[in-house]
Amino acid sequence: MNFKINESATKLRGGYYTPEDVARYLAKWVLGIKPRTILEPSCGDGAFIRALKGQHRFRLSFTGVELLNEEARKSRKACKENDLIDGEIVAGDFLDWGLKSIEEGTQFSAILGNPPYIRYQYLAPQDQILSEELFVKFCLAFTKHTNAWVPFVIASVAMLEAGGRLGMVVPAEILHVLHATSLRKFLLTQCSKIVIVDPNELLFDEALQGTVLLMVEKKKKPASASQGVAVLTGSKEDLLCEEPEELFNNAKPVSGDMLNGKWMKVLLTPRELEVFESAKHKKGVRLFRDVASVDVGIVTGANKFFLVNDETVKEYGLKRYAKPMFGRSGHCPGVIYDREGHTNKNEGGTASNFVMIGNVPMEELPEKVQDYIKFGEEQNLHKRYKCRIRSPWYSVPSVYSTEVAMLKRAHNYPRLILNSARAYTTDTAYRIKTVDPSIQPESLVYGFVNSLTALTGELEGRHYGGGVLEMVPSEIEKMLVPIVNISESDLRRLDLLVRSNEAADDVLRAQDKIVLKAAGFTKEEAAILHEAWRRIRSRRLREVHQEKGDSISDE
Ligand SMILES: C[S@@+](CC[C@H](N)C(=O)[O-])C[C@H]1O[C@@H](n2cnc3c(N)ncnc32)[C@H](O)[C@@H]1O
């Protein structure tokens, strides 16, 4: 877990400034409507004020807000250096200023910016309250998982005049994070057209966070329908050399049901989308939730105490209590976790024994085991929240294993693991049970490795800086899985293939030939699904030019 105290001052105020070419591009686009007034909600040292210079011949009134006095001063100086700008820079909190301005009915013809990226827990208590107030004001569902940039964009859009333009640098996660669902809905109700420019390269060297350019035009009539959302991808150089006016006007938006929830499907080409949508109706393809249930793994509350290597088992006489357990892909590099694999792993000193003492009073336990518990208490592990709410603290609840498991995180593609060893899993993995008696666990594990399922993982899952794909149960339930009949040797062969150094692309292509063919896809359709998966996976790993993802193993 990250703590506020460990974060740099720059990160805590979201102080990553916009590169000149990007700021000039967005400025040029909003200037296309000859705005009388421009707002910059968090103007920093004035990147967007400088970006306006030389791009307009008319007077405009510029209002900037910036939390830091020092940076606000730099913005004032930037205003003075542009004779055509009447500038007002407010040194203060935008959420506070914004809510009051919305109340007073203040509006702007255009808005530019790059709002701070600060997680809710790191916000000043006042900003936490103001963020929630803003959501409530516009009847939007609020969550404490929000991040400062979300209320900044909501307030900005609210202050935009009818027909006005907003050009902002925002995190690429706008397309998929759950906490931006309200914002996505708000944009669709308020804007006539939404264009997201999604360059292959990272825009900021300093931040791991992928960013996109958000270009929206506010509806002229509130009741009119939105044209929807377009996402433009390509190299930054190619995208920014196009005239912003043309880029925006030529972008073809998609609308309708596809925009409910996440917007990841907008990244698919029309043909990819057609094949993807038809997949649900193929005879052999099932929705994950119709064939299996997903439950979180075992929450020990202190993995370093409950998950130990053979040496610790020996030292504290824990053999009776040691049960096989896994939770990292290094523990199970293939699709089968069996006794043999478990034993080999332990010989390497891996901590894969779960100390399952159970609800036995301390005094009834052997002395060495008591010593081990005391050793845990010396480290205050019994005071940790998850441990202290149970009695005795070393008795872990909800201990059961399932025949199939799935790691929460993956680099290339998610995979299921046949748990032949009936090992327990930590909360870094899910416990999966087939709910359709006609489907063998082996078939589910086998059918899960293919380009269609991997693509649904990319479209439904989430990822953060660093690119690791993470899936929660409700997202896994929406995945599509072709179900095929297989023999035991088929699964063994797949296990070896996944364990081998074979590139992820080749593993999926080999599986597509069997799994997607059996599910009724043509070769052309399989190739289309594969290419769509490859592109979106590459986007997540931001490696289009480097093509190094295949050498990255799962976490
Ligand atoms: C990502 S930087 C962008 C700065 C500038 N807009 C640019 O594009 O270069 C975000 C800025 O927001 C400022 N900031 C953070 N919290 C703020 C708040 N509550 N109100 C106003 N500004 C804030 C930071 O100090 C920082 O200068």
Side-chain angles (χ1 to χ4, degrees):
M1 186 188 275
N2 296 331
F3 291 100
K4 193 171 177 176
I5 198 164
N6 299 329
E7 302 292 358
S8 70
T10 305
K11 195 164 175 190
L12 287 177
R13 74 175 174 102
Y16 298 103
Y17 292 159
T18 309
E20 191 185 334
D21 54 350
V22 174
R24 285 189 73 79
Y25 196 79
L26 290 175
K28 188 172 188 184
W29 179 66
V30 303
L31 286 169
I33 54 163
K34 297 212 164 43
R36 292 167 297 103
T37 52
I38 296 187
L39 167 70
E40 221 284 37
S42 57
C43 57
D45 70 352
F48 280 97
I49 307 168
R50 290 189 297 278
L52 289 164
K53 197 167 178 182
Q55 300 210 84
H56 61 110
R57 291 176 182 206
F58 49 91
R59 284 208 81 73
L60 55 84
S61 145
F62 185 97
T63 305
V65 185
E66 168 56 46
L67 192 62
L68 290 193
N69 273 322
E70 198 189 326
E71 301 305 289
R73 261 197 301 276
K74 292 180 195 164
S75 280
R76 275 186 209 114
K77 186 164 172 274
C79 285
K80 285 200 185 114
E81 285 164 4
N82 185 339
D83 296 340
L84 292 173
I85 282 186
D86 301 318
E88 188 201 353
I89 305 296
V90 179
D93 184 339
F94 171 69
L95 293 176
D96 184 32
W97 180 90
L99 265 162
K100 286 181 191 142
S101 303
I102 290 169
E103 246 359 273
E104 289 161 7
T106 311
Q107 295 228 300
F108 295 87
S109 346
I111 299 184
L112 283 165
N114 171 2
Y117 183 87
I118 311 167
R119 52 209 284 196
Y120 177 83
Q121 296 95 307
Y122 292 177
L123 286 177
Q126 177 196 244
D127 276 346
Q128 294 186 340
I129 296 167
L130 291 170
S131 297
E132 189 162 355
E133 258 179 49
L134 194 73
F135 277 77
V136 172
K137 178 155 192 65
F138 294 102
C139 304
L140 299 170
F142 173 76
T143 152
K144 287 186 176 168
H145 293 291
T146 196
N147 191 301
W149 68 271
V150 177
F152 268 64
V153 179
I154 292 174
S156 300
V157 171
M159 274 190 271
L160 200 56
E161 282 173 9
R165 283 184 174 178
L166 173 145
M168 278 190 165
V169 178
V170 296
E173 65 184 31
I174 187 173
L175 291 180
H176 66 90
V177 283
L178 241 46
H179 73 73
T181 308
S182 291
L183 169 64
R184 290 191 289 267
K185 274 192 197 147
F186 190 63
L187 288 172
L188 284 170
T189 56
Q190 300 287 315
C191 305
S192 53
K193 187 170 178 181
I194 299 155
V195 173
I196 291 171
V197 179
D198 179 31
N200 297 335
E201 306 87 354
L202 292 175
L203 290 175
F204 295 85
D205 295 337
E206 312 95 317
L208 255 182
Q209 182 65 43
T211 38
V212 295
L213 310 187
L214 175 68
M215 300 161 80
V216 307
E217 239 169 31
K218 189 135 171 194
K219 287 180 183 174
K220 290 200 171 111
K221 290 189 185 132
S224 60
S226 173
Q227 292 175 50
V229 182
V231 179
L232 303 172
T233 54
S235 78
K236 176 181 156 191
E237 203 185 334
D238 286 350
L239 289 165
L240 296 194
C241 79
E242 206 172 325
E243 273 301 308
E245 195 69 35
E246 281 170 27
L247 175 122
F248 186 81
N249 292 342
N250 295 340
K252 301 225 167 350
V254 294
S255 57
D257 286 353
M258 212 184 8
L259 299 175
N260 291 339
K262 300 189 180 198
W263 286 354
M264 288 297 286
K265 281 191 199 162
V266 185
L267 289 166
L268 299 178
T269 64
R271 178 71 181 127
E272 286 167 355
L273 193 61
E274 192 186 346
V275 176
F276 181 75
E277 290 297 315
S278 74
K280 290 173 203 155
H281 310 294
K282 297 270 182 201
K283 61 177 171 14
V285 176
R286 306 283 299 271
L287 199 57
F288 195 91
R289 72 162 155 262
D290 293 339
V291 291
S293 66
V294 189
D295 191 9
V296 288
I298 298 168
V299 182
T300 66
N303 278 353
K304 72 173 179 179
F305 176 86
F306 291 101
L307 210 59
V308 298
N309 61 19
D310 282 356
E311 213 175 296
T312 308
V313 170
K314 212 159 148 202
E315 188 182 343
Y316 289 97
L318 296 166
K319 195 158 192 300
R320 241 182 82 193
Y321 309 95
K323 311 287 172 200
M325 188 175 225
F326 68 85
R328 304 190 52 187
S329 92
H331 293 164
C332 39
V335 293
I336 301 177
Y337 189 85
D338 54 16
R339 282 268 159 199
E340 196 190 338
H342 177 72
T343 312
N344 292 344
K345 178 159 55 72
N346 281 3
E347 279 166 6
T350 312
S352 58
N353 297 291
F354 171 40
V355 181
M356 194 176 129
I357 301 169
N359 190 358
V360 184
M362 183 84 151
E363 55 282 7
E364 288 175 25
L365 290 166
E367 206 173 312
K368 272 174 139 187
V369 178
Q370 292 192 24
D371 286 347
Y372 186 62
I373 293 170
K374 284 179 201 149
F375 171 65
E377 288 171 356
E378 276 162 24
Q379 297 168 68
N380 283 326
L381 298 180
H382 61 308
K383 292 187 184 157
R384 285 193 182 175
Y385 177 69
K386 296 274 182 213
C387 297
R388 72 168 188 260
I389 56 171
R390 62 197 186 213
S391 177
W393 72 271
Y394 50 79
S395 173
V396 177
S398 180
V399 174
Y400 70 88
S401 70
T402 49
E403 53 208 349
V404 178
M406 176 179 162
L407 297 173
K408 264 187 188 173
R409 294 172 153 209
H411 256 290
N412 280 310
Y413 56 88
R415 67 194 145 90
L416 299 179
I417 294 156
L418 186 75
N419 185 9
S420 307
R422 286 312 282 248
Y424 295 109
T425 46
T426 60
D427 57 357
T428 49
Y430 296 116
R431 293 178 278 190
I432 291 178
K433 281 189 210 159
T434 50
V435 293
D436 180 337
S438 70
I439 296 170
Q440 295 301 314
E442 289 81 357
S443 294
L444 183 65
V445 173
Y446 186 86
F448 199 80
V449 182
N450 68 84
S451 298
L452 169 67
T453 306
L455 177 60
T456 49
E458 295 294 340
L459 298 177
E460 298 297 344
R462 72 260 319 269
H463 54 91
Y464 309 98
V468 177
L469 176 69
E470 189 176 302
M471 304 206 64
V472 301
S474 60
E475 293 161 352
I476 298 168
E477 284 169 356
K478 290 185 198 139
M479 292 176 85
L480 296 174
V481 200
I483 302 295
V484 284
N485 288 326
I486 56 149
S487 65
E488 209 196 311
S489 61
D490 290 328
L491 194 63
R492 288 263 159 222
R493 189 187 46 76
L494 175 63
D495 184 53
L496 289 177
L497 184 66
V498 173
R499 281 169 194 271
S500 71
N501 279 334
E502 205 73 49
D505 294 50
D506 294 337
V507 173
L508 292 192
R509 259 196 234 107
Q511 279 291 99
D512 290 351
K513 281 188 192 146
I514 306 163
V515 176
L516 293 186
K517 187 174 174 215
F521 290 86
T522 64
K523 266 191 196 162
E524 190 231 347
E525 288 172 333
I528 286 170
L529 291 171
H530 182 79
E531 179 48 29
W533 163 76
R534 209 193 62 83
R535 208 182 55 254
I536 296 180
R537 185 275 319 248
S538 297
R539 174 185 179 276
R540 166 168 62 80
L541 296 172
R542 297 278 168 194
E543 48 147 42
V544 168
H545 295 300
Q546 299 125 45
E547 286 297 338
K548 66 182 180 193
D550 293 333
S551 61
I552 300 171
S553 61
D554 288 359
E555 181 146 276

